[in-house]
Amino acid sequence: MKVQLHQLRYFVAVAEVRHFTQAAELVGITQPSLSKQIHALETGLGAPLFERVRGNIALTAAGEVLLPLAKRILADVDTATREVQELVGLRRGRVRLGATPSLATSLAPQVLRRFRDAHPAVDLRVEEGGSQDLVRDLLRGDLDLALIIMPAAGTDPGLRADPILRESLVVASVDPLPAASVNGEVRITDLREQPLVMFREGYDLRDATLQACREAGFEPTLSVDGGEMDAVLSFVEAGLGVALVPGIAVARRPGIRVTRLARPGVGRTIAVARRRDVVPTHAGRELRRILLEYVHDATVGNELPPGVEPLP
């Protein structure tokens, strides 16, 4: 039996909401019709995809295997449909961009302004999140392009990531750091006695901070653990501790003091990433072109945010 695309859509809807009636409403059919199609899909695959556990809907082992594959197939079909529609002029396209919180408030606005001015009819969607979350969304087909931080171990082989910028981290605090030298810098080892405000799991800044401290020979003391960018900066402003953050993230926070790290410091490589196995849409290619154009123009005009340098 051939698996039908509409059956995969129904399966993904049920898997996401874990409720047959709500899933039927989402896809615009009746609940009995949806249940019939799910049953036909299970029969064709030779395995149940859902089970009821104390009144709740849960994925079986087969369902867990099928879900990411189904999402990828549907994303590819949607991409192909949009590409053809753009070519025949039925619509002007859609592009979905992901960016880390610091880049979403510094680099992305200028790029998106250029893109919007050039292509006002394109449906533009933005997702903000940690790099690990953005990588996951790229691989699932939920994003076309993302500004991510390159991990030390390299990116997922399923992605093409092109490094474009190098960004330095600084120490954010309310009070002057007692270990600051005459030139206003501190070393990572000077943070040994400082309580740190830590980002949640999934933020590359968490990994960068922990790695820097451990390479310096100590395990940091955490005063607060689990915040996102705005929350971390607010905790710092409240005097709960210090944090390693991108310099561009505190540019508009007058209540926060910035202290540079002595060489070699801690830096991050910013990359523009997409799925390797999917041909970008016209809109996706154009957004990437405008992004690279903006980086070039900002470099020439000395307009990149503080602590950010272009990569060759």
Side-chain angles (χ1 to χ4, degrees), residues 141-152:
D142 296 334
L143 293 174
D144 301 305
L145 208 64
L147 289 167
I148 65 170
I149 305 302
M150 293 276 287

Side-chain angles (χ1 to χ4, degrees), residues 9 77-94 281-283:
R9 293 192 188 277
V77 170
D78 289 343
T79 298
T81 301
R82 290 196 307 272
E83 190 78 0
V84 172
Q85 288 176 337
E86 289 171 17
L87 287 173
V88 299
L90 295 178
R91 54 182 296 187
R92 300 292 296 276
R94 179 186 73 172
T281 64
H282 291 309

